[in-house]
Coordinates of all heavy atoms in Angstrom, one line a residue:
A15 N 64.2 63.9 133.7 CA 64.2 62.9 132.5 C 65.0 63.3 131.4 O 66.0 62.5 131.0 CB 62.6 62.6 132.1
I16 N 65.0 64.6 131.0 CA 65.8 65.0 130.0 C 67.3 64.9 130.3 O 68.1 64.5 129.5 CB 65.4 66.5 129.5 CG1 63.9 66.4 128.8 CG2 66.4 67.1 128.6 CD1 63.4 67.8 128.7
L17 N 67.6 65.3 131.6 CA 68.9 65.3 132.0 C 69.6 63.9 132.0 O 70.8 63.7 132.0 CB 69.1 66.0 133.3 CG 69.0 67.5 133.3 CD1 68.9 67.9 134.8 CD2 70.0 68.2 132.6
K18 N 68.7 62.9 132.2 CA 69.2 61.5 132.2 C 69.4 61.0 130.9 O 70.2 59.8 130.8 CB 68.2 60.6 132.9 CG 67.7 61.0 134.2 CD 68.7 60.4 135.4 CE 68.2 60.9 136.7 NZ 69.2 61.5 137.6
L19 N 69.0 61.6 129.7 CA 69.2 61.1 128.3 C 70.7 61.3 128.0 O 71.4 62.3 128.4 CB 68.4 62.0 127.4 CG 66.9 61.8 127.6 CD1 66.3 62.8 126.7 CD2 66.4 60.5 127.3
E20 N 71.4 60.3 127.5 CA 72.7 60.2 127.3 C 73.3 60.4 125.9 O 74.3 60.7 125.7 CB 73.2 58.9 127.9 CG 73.0 58.7 129.4 CD 73.5 57.5 129.9 OE1 74.4 56.7 129.2 OE2 73.3 57.2 131.2
T21 N 72.4 60.1 124.9 CA 72.8 60.2 123.6 C 71.9 61.1 122.8 O 70.7 61.2 123.2 CB 73.0 58.8 123.0 OG1 71.8 58.2 122.8 CG2 73.9 57.9 123.7
I22 N 72.4 61.4 121.7 CA 71.5 62.2 120.5 C 70.4 61.2 120.3 O 69.2 61.7 120.1 CB 72.3 62.7 119.4 CG1 73.4 63.6 119.8 CG2 71.3 63.2 118.3 CD1 72.9 65.1 120.0
E23 N 70.6 60.0 120.0 CA 69.6 59.1 119.7 C 68.6 58.9 120.8 O 67.3 58.9 120.7 CB 70.2 57.6 119.3 CG 69.2 56.8 118.8 CD 68.6 57.3 117.4 OE1 69.3 58.0 116.6 OE2 67.4 56.9 117.0
D24 N 69.0 58.9 122.1 CA 68.1 58.9 123.3 C 67.1 60.2 123.1 O 65.9 60.1 123.4 CB 68.8 58.9 124.6 CG 69.5 57.7 124.9 OD1 69.1 56.6 124.4 OD2 70.3 57.7 125.8
C25 N 67.8 61.3 122.9 CA 66.9 62.5 122.7 C 66.0 62.5 121.7 O 64.7 62.9 121.9 CB 67.9 63.7 122.5 SG 68.9 64.1 124.1
Y26 N 66.4 62.0 120.4 CA 65.4 61.9 119.3 C 64.3 61.1 119.8 O 63.1 61.4 119.5 CB 66.1 61.3 118.0 CG 66.8 62.2 117.1 CD1 68.2 62.4 117.1 CD2 66.0 63.0 116.4 CE1 68.8 63.3 116.3 CE2 66.6 63.9 115.4 CZ 68.0 64.1 115.4 OH 68.5 64.9 114.6
N27 N 64.6 59.8 120.3 CA 63.4 59.0 120.7 C 62.5 59.6 121.7 O 61.3 59.5 121.5 CB 64.0 57.7 121.2 CG 64.8 56.8 120.3 OD1 64.4 57.0 119.0 ND2 65.7 56.0 120.6
F28 N 63.1 60.2 122.7 CA 62.3 60.8 123.7 C 61.4 62.0 123.2 O 60.1 62.1 123.4 CB 63.1 61.3 124.8 CG 62.3 62.0 126.0 CD1 61.6 61.3 126.9 CD2 62.3 63.4 126.1 CE1 60.9 61.8 127.9 CE2 61.6 64.0 127.1 CZ 60.8 63.2 128.0
F29 N 62.1 63.0 122.4 CA 61.4 64.1 122.0 C 60.4 63.7 120.7 O 59.4 64.4 120.6 CB 62.4 65.1 121.5 CG 62.8 65.9 122.8 CD1 64.1 65.5 123.2 CD2 62.2 66.9 123.3 CE1 64.6 66.2 124.4 CE2 62.6 67.5 124.4 CZ 63.8 67.2 125.0
E30 N 60.7 62.7 120.1 CA 59.7 62.3 119.0 C 58.4 61.8 119.8 O 57.3 61.9 119.2 CB 60.3 61.3 118.1 CG 61.2 61.8 117.1 CD 61.8 60.9 116.2 OE1 61.2 59.8 115.9 OE2 62.9 61.1 115.6
D31 N 58.6 61.2 120.8 CA 57.4 60.7 121.6 C 56.6 61.8 122.3 O 55.4 61.8 122.4 CB 57.8 59.6 122.6 CG 58.2 58.2 122.1 OD1 57.9 58.0 120.8 OD2 58.7 57.4 122.7
I32 N 57.4 62.7 123.0 CA 56.8 63.6 123.8 C 56.3 64.9 123.1 O 55.4 65.7 123.6 CB 57.7 64.1 124.9 CG1 56.9 64.6 126.2 CG2 58.7 65.0 124.6 CD1 57.6 64.7 127.5
C33 N 56.9 65.3 121.9 CA 56.5 66.4 121.2 C 55.8 65.9 119.8 O 56.2 65.1 119.3 CB 57.7 67.4 120.9 SG 58.5 67.9 122.3
T34 N 55.1 67.0 119.1 CA 54.8 66.8 117.8 C 55.9 67.1 117.0 O 57.0 67.9 117.6 CB 53.6 67.7 117.4 OG1 54.1 69.0 117.6 CG2 52.4 67.5 118.3
I35 N 55.9 66.8 115.7 CA 57.2 67.1 114.9 C 57.2 68.6 114.7 O 58.3 69.1 114.9 CB 57.0 66.4 113.5 CG1 57.1 64.8 113.6 CG2 58.0 67.0 112.5 CD1 56.9 64.1 112.4
K36 N 56.1 69.2 114.7 CA 56.1 70.7 114.6 C 56.7 71.4 115.8 O 57.5 72.3 115.7 CB 54.8 71.3 114.3 CG 54.7 72.8 114.3 CD 53.6 73.4 113.4 CE 53.6 74.8 113.3 NZ 54.7 75.6 113.4
E37 N 56.4 70.9 117.0 CA 56.9 71.6 118.2 C 58.4 71.3 118.3 O 59.1 72.2 118.7 CB 56.2 70.8 119.5 CG 54.7 71.2 119.6 CD 54.1 70.2 120.8 OE1 54.6 69.1 120.9 OE2 53.2 70.7 121.3
L38 N 58.9 70.1 117.9 CA 60.3 69.8 118.0 C 60.9 70.8 116.9 O 62.2 71.3 117.2 CB 60.6 68.4 117.6 CG 61.9 68.0 117.9 CD1 62.5 68.3 119.2 CD2 62.1 66.4 117.5
M39 N 60.4 70.8 115.7 CA 61.1 71.8 114.7 C 61.1 73.2 115.1 O 62.0 74.0 114.9 CB 60.3 71.4 113.3 CG 60.5 70.1 112.8 SD 62.1 69.5 112.7 CE 62.8 70.5 111.4
D40 N 59.9 73.6 115.7 CA 59.9 75.0 116.3 C 60.9 75.2 117.3 O 61.6 76.3 117.3 CB 58.4 75.4 116.9 CG 57.4 75.5 115.8 OD1 57.7 75.6 114.5 OD2 56.2 75.5 116.2
M41 N 61.0 74.4 118.3 CA 62.2 74.6 119.2 C 63.6 74.6 118.8 O 64.4 75.5 119.0 CB 62.1 73.5 120.2 CG 60.9 73.6 121.3 SD 61.0 72.4 122.7 CE 60.5 70.8 121.8
S42 N 63.7 73.7 117.7 CA 65.1 73.8 117.0 C 65.3 75.1 116.4 O 66.4 75.6 116.3 CB 65.2 72.6 116.0 OG 64.9 71.4 116.6
Q43 N 64.2 75.5 115.7 CA 64.4 76.8 114.9 C 64.7 78.0 115.9 O 65.5 78.8 115.5 CB 63.1 77.1 114.1 CG 63.0 78.4 113.3 CD 61.7 78.6 112.8 OE1 60.8 78.9 113.3 NE2 61.6 78.6 111.4
R44 N 64.1 78.0 117.0 CA 64.2 79.1 117.9 C 65.7 79.0 118.4 O 66.3 80.1 118.6 CB 63.3 78.9 119.1 CG 61.9 79.3 118.8 CD 61.0 79.2 120.0 NE 59.6 79.2 119.6 CZ 58.8 78.2 119.9 NH1 59.1 77.2 120.9 NH2 57.6 78.2 119.5
L45 N 66.2 77.9 118.7 CA 67.7 77.8 119.1 C 68.5 78.3 118.0 O 69.5 79.2 118.2 CB 68.1 76.4 119.5 CG 69.4 76.2 120.0 CD1 69.7 77.1 121.3 CD2 69.8 74.8 120.3
S46 N 68.3 78.0 116.7 CA 69.0 78.5 115.6 C 68.9 80.0 115.6 O 70.0 80.7 115.3 CB 68.6 77.8 114.3 OG 69.3 78.3 113.3
V47 N 67.7 80.6 115.7 CA 67.5 81.9 115.8 C 68.4 82.7 116.8 O 69.0 83.6 116.6 CB 65.9 82.3 115.8 CG1 65.8 83.9 116.1 CG2 65.2 82.0 114.6
A48 N 68.3 82.0 118.0 CA 69.1 82.6 119.1 C 70.6 82.7 118.8 O 71.3 83.6 119.1 CB 68.8 81.8 120.4
E49 N 71.0 81.6 118.1 CA 72.5 81.6 117.8 C 72.7 82.6 116.8 O 73.8 83.3 116.8 CB 72.7 80.2 117.2 CG 74.1 79.9 116.8 CD 74.4 78.4 116.3 OE1 73.5 77.9 115.7 OE2 75.4 77.8 116.6
K50 N 72.0 82.8 115.8 CA 72.2 83.9 114.8 C 72.2 85.3 115.4 O 72.8 86.2 115.0 CB 71.3 83.6 113.7 CG 71.8 82.3 112.9 CD 70.7 82.0 111.8 CE 70.8 80.5 111.2 NZ 72.3 80.1 111.1
L51 N 71.1 85.4 116.2 CA 71.0 86.8 116.8 C 72.2 87.1 117.6 O 72.7 88.2 117.7 CB 69.7 86.9 117.8 CG 68.5 87.0 117.1 CD1 67.3 86.7 118.1 CD2 68.3 88.4 116.4
S52 N 72.7 86.1 118.4 CA 73.9 86.3 119.1 C 75.1 86.5 118.3 O 76.1 87.2 118.8 CB 74.2 85.1 120.0 OG 73.1 84.9 121.0
A53 N 75.1 86.1 117.1 CA 76.2 86.3 116.2 C 76.0 87.7 115.5 O 76.9 88.0 114.7 CB 76.2 85.2 115.2
G54 N 75.0 88.5 115.8 CA 74.8 89.8 115.3 C 74.1 89.9 113.9 O 74.1 90.8 113.3
K55 N 73.5 88.8 113.4 CA 72.8 88.8 112.2 C 71.5 89.5 112.3 O 70.9 89.8 113.3 CB 72.6 87.4 111.7 CG 73.8 86.5 111.4 CD 73.5 85.5 110.5 CE 74.9 84.8 110.2 NZ 74.7 83.8 109.1
S56 N 71.1 90.1 111.2 CA 69.9 90.9 111.1 C 68.6 90.0 111.1 O 68.7 88.8 110.7 CB 69.9 91.8 109.9 OG 69.7 90.9 108.6
Y57 N 67.5 90.6 111.4 CA 66.2 89.9 111.3 C 66.1 89.3 109.9 O 65.6 88.2 109.7 CB 65.0 90.8 111.7 CG 64.8 90.9 113.1 CD1 65.8 90.9 114.1 CD2 63.5 91.0 113.6 CE1 65.6 91.1 115.5 CE2 63.2 91.2 115.0 CZ 64.2 91.3 116.0 OH 64.0 91.4 117.3
Q58 N 66.3 90.1 108.9 CA 66.2 89.6 107.6 C 67.0 88.5 107.2 O 66.5 87.5 106.6 CB 66.4 90.8 106.6 CG 66.1 90.6 105.0 CD 66.3 91.8 104.1 OE1 66.9 92.7 104.6 NE2 65.9 91.6 103.0
E59 N 68.3 88.5 107.6 CA 69.2 87.5 107.3 C 68.7 86.2 108.0 O 68.6 85.1 107.4 CB 70.6 87.7 107.8 CG 71.2 88.9 107.0 CD 72.7 89.2 107.7 OE1 72.6 89.6 108.9 OE2 73.8 89.0 107.1
I60 N 68.3 86.3 109.3 CA 67.8 85.2 110.1 C 66.6 84.6 109.4 O 66.4 83.3 109.3 CB 67.6 85.5 111.6 CG1 69.0 86.0 112.2 CG2 66.9 84.4 112.3 CD1 68.9 86.7 113.5
S61 N 65.7 85.5 109.0 CA 64.5 84.9 108.6 C 64.7 84.1 107.2 O 64.2 83.1 107.0 CB 63.5 86.1 108.1 OG 62.2 85.6 107.6
K62 N 65.5 84.7 106.3 CA 66.0 84.0 105.1 C 66.6 82.6 105.4 O 66.4 81.6 104.7 CB 66.9 84.9 104.4 CG 67.2 84.4 102.9 CD 67.9 85.4 102.1 CE 68.3 84.9 100.7 NZ 68.9 85.8 99.8
E63 N 67.5 82.6 106.3 CA 68.3 81.5 106.7 C 67.5 80.3 107.4 O 67.8 79.1 107.2 CB 69.5 81.8 107.4 CG 70.7 82.5 106.8 CD 71.8 83.0 107.6 OE1 72.0 82.5 108.6 OE2 72.4 83.9 107.1
T64 N 66.6 80.7 108.3 CA 65.9 79.7 109.1 C 64.4 79.6 108.8 O 63.8 78.5 109.1 CB 65.9 80.2 110.5 OG1 65.2 81.4 110.7 CG2 67.3 80.4 111.0
G65 N 63.8 80.5 108.0 CA 62.4 80.5 107.6 C 61.6 80.9 108.8 O 60.3 80.8 108.8
A66 N 62.3 81.4 109.9 CA 61.5 82.0 111.0 C 60.7 83.2 110.7 O 61.3 84.1 109.8 CB 62.4 82.2 112.3
S67 N 59.6 83.4 111.3 CA 58.9 84.8 111.1 C 59.6 85.8 111.9 O 60.4 85.5 112.9 CB 57.5 84.6 111.5 OG 57.4 84.5 112.9
T68 N 59.3 87.0 111.4 CA 59.9 88.2 112.4 C 59.4 88.2 113.7 O 60.0 88.6 114.7 CB 59.7 89.6 111.6 OG1 58.4 89.8 111.4 CG2 60.4 89.6 110.3
A69 N 58.2 87.7 113.9 CA 57.5 87.5 115.3 C 58.4 86.5 116.1 O 58.6 86.8 117.2 CB 56.0 87.1 115.1
T70 N 58.7 85.4 115.5 CA 59.5 84.5 116.3 C 60.8 85.0 116.6 O 61.3 84.9 117.7 CB 59.5 83.1 115.4 OG1 58.3 82.6 115.3 CG2 60.6 82.2 116.1
I71 N 61.5 85.7 115.5 CA 62.8 86.2 115.8 C 62.7 87.3 116.9 O 63.6 87.3 117.8 CB 63.4 86.9 114.5 CG1 63.6 85.8 113.5 CG2 64.7 87.5 114.7 CD1 63.8 86.2 112.0
S72 N 61.6 88.1 116.9 CA 61.5 89.1 117.9 C 61.3 88.6 119.3 O 61.8 89.0 120.3 CB 60.2 90.1 117.5 OG 60.1 91.1 118.5
R73 N 60.6 87.5 119.4 CA 60.3 86.9 120.6 C 61.6 86.2 121.3 O 61.9 86.4 122.4 CB 59.2 85.6 120.5 CG 59.0 85.0 121.9 CD 57.9 83.8 121.6 NE 57.7 83.2 122.9 CZ 58.5 82.4 123.6 NH1 59.8 82.0 123.2 NH2 58.2 81.9 124.7
V74 N 62.4 85.5 120.4 CA 63.6 85.0 120.8 C 64.6 86.1 121.3 O 65.3 86.1 122.2 CB 64.2 84.2 119.7 CG1 65.7 83.8 120.1 CG2 63.4 82.9 119.3
N75 N 64.6 87.2 120.5 CA 65.4 88.4 120.8 C 65.0 89.0 122.2 O 65.9 89.3 123.0 CB 65.4 89.5 119.7 CG 66.4 90.5 119.8 OD1 67.6 90.3 120.1 ND2 66.0 91.7 119.7
K76 N 63.8 89.0 122.4 CA 63.3 89.5 123.7 C 63.7 88.6 124.9 O 64.2 89.0 125.9 CB 61.8 89.6 123.7 CG 61.1 90.1 125.0 CD 59.6 90.2 124.8 CE 59.0 90.6 126.2 NZ 57.6 90.7 126.2
C77 N 63.8 87.4 124.6 CA 64.2 86.3 125.6 C 65.7 86.6 125.9 O 66.2 86.5 127.0 CB 64.0 84.9 125.2 SG 62.2 84.5 125.3
L78 N 66.4 86.7 124.7 CA 67.9 87.0 124.9 C 68.2 88.2 125.7 O 69.2 88.3 126.5 CB 68.6 87.0 123.5 CG 68.7 85.8 122.8 CD1 69.2 86.1 121.2 CD2 69.8 84.9 123.5
N79 N 67.4 89.3 125.5 CA 67.7 90.5 126.1 C 67.0 90.5 127.6 O 67.6 91.4 128.4 CB 67.1 91.7 125.3 CG 68.0 91.9 124.1 OD1 69.2 91.8 124.1 ND2 67.3 92.0 123.0
Y80 N 65.9 90.0 127.7 CA 65.3 90.2 129.1 C 64.9 88.9 129.7 O 64.1 88.9 130.8 CB 64.0 91.0 128.8 CG 64.2 92.4 128.2 CD1 63.9 92.5 126.8 CD2 64.9 93.4 128.8 CE1 64.2 93.8 126.2 CE2 65.1 94.5 128.1 CZ 64.8 94.7 126.8 OH 64.9 96.0 126.2
G81 N 65.2 87.7 129.1 CA 64.8 86.4 129.7 C 65.8 86.0 130.9 O 66.5 86.8 131.5
S82 N 65.6 84.9 131.1 CA 66.3 84.1 132.3 C 67.8 83.7 132.0 O 68.3 83.1 132.9 CB 65.6 83.0 132.8 OG 65.4 82.0 132.0
G83 N 68.1 83.9 130.8 CA 69.5 83.5 130.2 C 69.7 82.0 129.8 O 70.8 81.6 129.6
G84 N 68.6 81.3 129.7 CA 68.6 80.0 129.3 C 69.3 79.8 127.8 O 70.1 79.0 127.6
Y85 N 68.9 80.6 126.8 CA 69.5 80.7 125.5 C 71.0 80.8 125.6 O 71.7 79.9 125.0 CB 68.8 81.6 124.6 CG 67.6 81.3 123.9 CD1 66.5 82.2 124.0 CD2 67.4 80.2 123.2 CE1 65.2 81.8 123.5 CE2 66.1 79.9 122.5 CZ 65.2 80.7 122.7 OH 63.9 80.4 122.1
E86 N 71.4 81.8 126.3 CA 72.8 82.1 126.4 C 73.6 81.0 127.0 O 74.7 80.7 126.6 CB 73.1 83.4 127.2 CG 72.4 84.6 126.5 CD 72.1 85.8 127.2 OE1 71.7 85.5 128.5 OE2 72.2 87.0 126.9
A87 N 73.0 80.4 128.1 CA 73.7 79.3 128.8 C 73.8 78.1 127.8 O 74.9 77.5 127.8 CB 73.0 78.9 130.1
A88 N 72.8 77.8 127.1 CA 72.8 76.7 126.2 C 73.8 76.9 125.1 O 74.6 76.0 124.8 CB 71.4 76.3 125.7
L89 N 73.8 78.1 124.4 CA 74.7 78.4 123.4 C 76.1 78.4 123.8 O 77.0 78.0 123.1 CB 74.4 79.9 122.7 CG 73.0 79.7 122.0 CD1 72.7 81.2 121.6 CD2 73.1 78.9 120.8
K90 N 76.4 78.8 125.1 CA 77.8 78.9 125.5 C 78.2 77.4 125.8 O 79.3 77.1 125.4 CB 77.8 79.6 126.9 CG 79.3 79.7 127.6 CD 79.2 80.4 128.8 CE 79.4 81.9 128.4 NZ 79.5 82.7 129.6
K91 N 77.3 76.5 126.3 CA 77.8 75.2 126.5 C 78.0 74.5 125.1 O 78.9 73.7 125.0 CB 76.7 74.4 127.2 CG 76.7 74.8 128.7 CD 75.7 74.0 129.5 CE 75.6 74.4 130.9 NZ 76.5 73.7 131.8
L92 N 77.2 74.8 124.1 CA 77.4 74.2 122.9 C 78.7 74.6 122.2 O 79.4 73.8 121.6 CB 76.1 74.5 121.9 CG 74.9 73.8 122.1 CD1 73.8 74.4 121.2 CD2 75.0 72.4 121.8

Side-chain angles (χ1 to χ4, degrees):
I16 292 168
L17 289 170
K18 303 271 186 237
L19 301 172
E20 295 181 5
T21 66
I22 295 282
E23 193 61 33
D24 288 345
C25 290
Y26 271 105
N27 293 335
F28 179 76
F29 282 97
E30 283 179 29
D31 285 348
I32 203 165
C33 296
T34 65
I35 292 170
K36 177 151 179 32
E37 289 169 335
L38 187 52
M39 298 307 293
D40 287 348
M41 287 188 288
S42 300
Q43 182 186 63
R44 288 183 199 126
L45 182 61
S46 180
V47 167
E49 184 175 39
K50 293 173 188 324
L51 283 167
S52 293
K55 294 200 173 189
S56 71
Y57 278 33
Q58 186 177 16
E59 289 174 302
I60 294 168
S61 181
K62 186 175 182 177
E63 291 176 18
T64 66
S67 68
T68 55
T70 296
I71 298 167
S72 179
R73 182 185 182 281
V74 172
N75 192 48
K76 182 179 176 184
C77 290
L78 284 169
N79 290 316
Y80 305 107
S82 60
Y85 279 123
E86 291 154 333
L89 291 172
K90 184 180 274 189
K91 285 181 184 273
L92 285 172

